[in-house]
Amino acid sequence: MEAVLAALRACGARSVLDLGCGSGLLLARLVREPDVRRIVGLDASGEAIRAAGDRLKAGGVGPGVSVSLVHGSFTEPDPRLVGFDAAAMVETIEHVDPDRLSAVEKAVFGCYRPGTVVITTPNREYNGLLGVPGHRLRHRDHRFEWTRAKFRSWAGGIAARHGYAASFRDVGDVHPALGGATQMAVFARDDRDSGLVPGAPVR
């Protein structure tokens, strides 16, 4: 969470989408960020949305901060989610069936088009250090776990297709050969000479 917040601070985001917000761990931190004024948390689980709402009520939301919770999927384009400075997808894509990742790409990078997108996902290479056997995944709901090379290839393709530049970093304790337990990609949209209006959906 701290690595994601650092990336959001670095891009100067004032409006943030938390796509796959779960029980609101990131949302509860975002509402305390002094520069963030508008926040939307989206999750496909109604139970998670209720838990996020309870967490926000318990922790409080400062004056002048707008927070909305949406029950829905980030695989579906939604015009209401267009025009945000940044989006975060924290340990979410590995819960999506691989054949649905193209739908995630279309919705997030083709429709929403935030200025910055921060995505984290487990680094499969690190699993042995966590005691996870090679034939297993870390969580029973994970559909896949990628090596650093696979994640960078996927993210690089998205960046090239949608006018973003992608940078990568390890998160957590970093092994010199195996990297970090989690890996992060930060996509920065480049609107120069693109003919795109910032925040406008791509048809």
Side-chain angles (χ1 to χ4, degrees), residues 78-104:
D78 186 338
R80 296 175 299 171
L81 304 183
V82 171
F84 282 75
D85 295 333
M89 302 178 72
V90 183
E91 308 293 293
T92 58
I93 61 168
E94 64 274 7
H95 295 273
V96 178
D97 288 326
D99 62 1
R100 295 290 292 158
L101 288 175
S102 61
V104 175

Side-chain angles (χ1 to χ4, degrees), residues 44 67-68 104 142 165 179 186:
V67 184
S68 302
V104 175
H142 286 183
V186 178

Side-chain angles (χ1 to χ4, degrees), residues 31-92:
V31 297
R32 296 197 294 269
E33 289 293 307
D35 294 331
V36 178
R37 312 313 295 165
R38 182 185 178 205
I39 305 164
V40 171
L42 178 144
D43 204 280
S45 165
E47 181 179 351
I49 289 293
R50 288 189 291 273
D54 291 342
R55 186 185 298 274
L56 291 171
K57 288 177 183 176
V61 176
V65 179
S66 168
V67 184
S68 302
L69 298 174
V70 177
H71 184 200
S73 171
F74 52 70
T75 63
E76 300 295 335
D78 186 338
R80 296 175 299 171
L81 304 183
V82 171
F84 282 75
D85 295 333
M89 302 178 72
V90 183
E91 308 293 293
T92 58

Side-chain angles (χ1 to χ4, degrees), residues 10-178:
C11 75
R14 293 181 61 81
S15 57
V16 180
L17 291 170
D18 184 0
L19 301 174
C21 65
S23 63
L25 292 174
L26 180 61
L27 294 173
R29 290 164 170 81
L30 284 172
V31 297
R32 296 197 294 269
E33 289 293 307
D35 294 331
V36 178
R37 312 313 295 165
R38 182 185 178 205
I39 305 164
V40 171
L42 178 144
D43 204 280
S45 165
E47 181 179 351
I49 289 293
R50 288 189 291 273
D54 291 342
R55 186 185 298 274
L56 291 171
K57 288 177 183 176
V61 176
V65 179
S66 168
V67 184
S68 302
L69 298 174
V70 177
H71 184 200
S73 171
F74 52 70
T75 63
E76 300 295 335
D78 186 338
R80 296 175 299 171
L81 304 183
V82 171
F84 282 75
D85 295 333
M89 302 178 72
V90 183
E91 308 293 293
T92 58
I93 61 168
E94 64 274 7
H95 295 273
V96 178
D97 288 326
D99 62 1
R100 295 290 292 158
L101 288 175
S102 61
V104 175
E105 176 182 344
K106 180 179 179 181
V108 177
F109 293 90
C111 177
Y112 309 159
R113 291 193 62 77
T116 299
V117 182
V118 181
I119 298 179
T120 72
T121 193
N123 169 20
R124 186 183 184 95
E125 297 164 76
Y126 199 91
N127 282 2
L129 299 178
L130 300 174
V132 180
H135 64 282
R136 288 180 51 195
L137 301 178
R138 293 186 197 178
H139 191 280
R140 63 184 180 183
D141 191 50
H142 286 183
R143 303 301 195 263
F144 60 86
E145 290 170 1
W146 281 339
T147 64
R148 288 170 293 168
K150 172 62 178 176
F151 181 50
R152 293 181 182 206
S153 174
W154 176 79
I158 286 177
R161 287 188 291 274
H162 295 278
Y164 284 77
S167 60
F168 304 91
R169 63 201 71 173
D170 294 311
V171 178
D173 293 333
V174 179
H175 185 276
L178 303 175

